[in-house]
Amino acid sequence: EAGVAQSPRYKIIEKRQSVAFWCNPISGHATLYWYQQILGQGPKLLIQFQNNGVVDDSQLPKDRFSAERLKGVDSTLKIQPAKLEDSAVYLCASSLLPGNEKLFFGSGTQLSVL
Amino acid sequence: QKEVEQDPGPLSVPEGAIVSLNCTYSNSAFQYFMWYRQYSRKGPELLMYTYSSGNKEDGRFTAQVDKSSKYISLFIRDSQPSDSATYLCAMSAGRGSTLGRLYFGRGTQLTVWP
């Protein structure tokens, strides 16, 4: 079974630039999550999708972050404009059902904002 | 006060030692408790899952939950160098779309030396 795919693996940008991350969840997983993991901290949920609808985006900084999941499969997370404090690993995860404790994580995209 | 507190370590033990990892939490609504393992430059993977109070054993791993003290533990017996990773505790208030949001600790970095 293929895992959660994410790209790019690494990204370095300057502050005020924009960046986008891509995620392809495990086939058949209806729920998709984006987490932000700052160095030395645990992952923090940014947004949760159920199929192509948003379930929880209460912790997403909507003035600069946006995410979409077209056709209920792939998802993209965008930051525009980026700030220094956005430097983190952005993890995508998927699960078979919403609220399922068994999340499958991708390897993440490590973002450095200079 | 953070929802979930976890000592970041680092923790360094010799091969064969018993390892004890723990987390405390403040939200009495948490009912589902998990331990994720995260290798360097990888996403977290679910290791143990416990509902409410009690113990759960899986091979060399034992998870304990004490809801009265708001304290959870993970024990690793006969630790191996391959157990070297960051261990993240996570918990949620329930299942379903928003109840199932996971709150992670910051992780404990463990090194098992041969």
Side-chain angles (χ1 to χ4, degrees):
Chain A
E1 179 184 69
V4 176
Q6 288 189 248
S7 68
R9 192 74 179 86
Y10 303 94
K11 191 73 177 179
I12 300 173
I13 61 171
E14 295 187 350
K15 60 183 179 184
R16 291 188 290 274
Q17 286 187 323
S18 62
V19 64
F21 313 125
W22 174 83
C23 173
N24 182 243
I26 292 173
S27 177
H29 281 195
T31 310
L32 184 147
Y33 313 78
W34 283 102
Y35 281 85
Q36 179 193 58
Q37 187 174 23
I38 293 172
L39 185 65
Q41 297 183 22
K44 184 185 86 169
L45 179 69
L46 291 175
I47 189 167
Q48 177 183 340
F49 290 95
Q50 173 66 15
N51 294 311
N52 61 347
V54 175
V55 171
D56 184 352
D57 64 354
S58 57
Q59 299 187 105
L60 185 74
K62 298 180 185 64
D63 58 334
R64 298 184 301 107
F65 286 65
S66 64
E68 60 182 8
R69 189 183 184 196
L70 299 175
K71 300 180 181 178
V73 182
D74 293 7
S75 177
T76 56
L77 176 69
K78 297 179 182 178
I79 308 175
Q80 182 179 13
K83 292 186 175 181
L84 297 177
E85 59 261 36
D86 297 332
S87 295
V89 175
Y90 290 84
L91 294 163
C92 178
S94 68
S95 66
L96 194 57
L97 296 170
N100 189 320
E101 65 280 354
K102 190 166 179 62
L103 269 59
F104 293 83
F105 284 86
S107 293
T109 296
Q110 185 172 327
L111 174 67
S112 296
V113 183
L114 306 178
Chain B
Q1 182 188 15
K2 287 190 174 181
E3 300 253 23
V4 181
E5 299 280 0
Q6 184 176 11
D7 186 338
L11 187 59
S12 181
V13 301
E15 183 176 356
I18 296 174
V19 176
S20 172
L21 306 167
N22 53 73
C23 291
T24 59
Y25 62 96
S26 58
N27 189 343
S28 57
F30 288 147
Q31 297 186 73
Y32 295 85
F33 304 91
M34 290 132 268
W35 286 94
Y36 279 80
R37 178 174 61 194
Q38 186 173 24
Y39 290 114
S40 181
R41 297 186 178 84
K42 296 291 186 183
E45 58 176 332
L46 182 64
L47 195 59
M48 297 287 284
Y49 157 73
T50 309
Y51 169 68
S52 192
S53 286
N55 294 0
K56 184 172 184 177
E57 188 173 318
D58 184 1
R60 297 183 295 110
F61 299 89
T62 300
Q64 287 185 352
V65 174
D66 181 351
K67 290 188 70 179
S68 63
S69 301
K70 297 190 179 67
Y71 186 90
I72 70 171
S73 302
L74 177 71
F75 298 95
I76 307 174
R77 291 183 299 279
D78 188 24
S79 56
Q80 303 294 311
S82 57
D83 295 328
S84 298
T86 296
Y87 290 80
L88 299 153
C89 63
M91 45 200 80
S92 70
R95 288 183 165 175
S97 53
T98 52
L99 277 178
R101 181 197 295 178
L102 293 186
Y103 292 85
F104 283 87
R106 62 187 301 184
T108 299
Q109 186 180 341
L110 171 67
T111 300
V112 182
W113 42 276

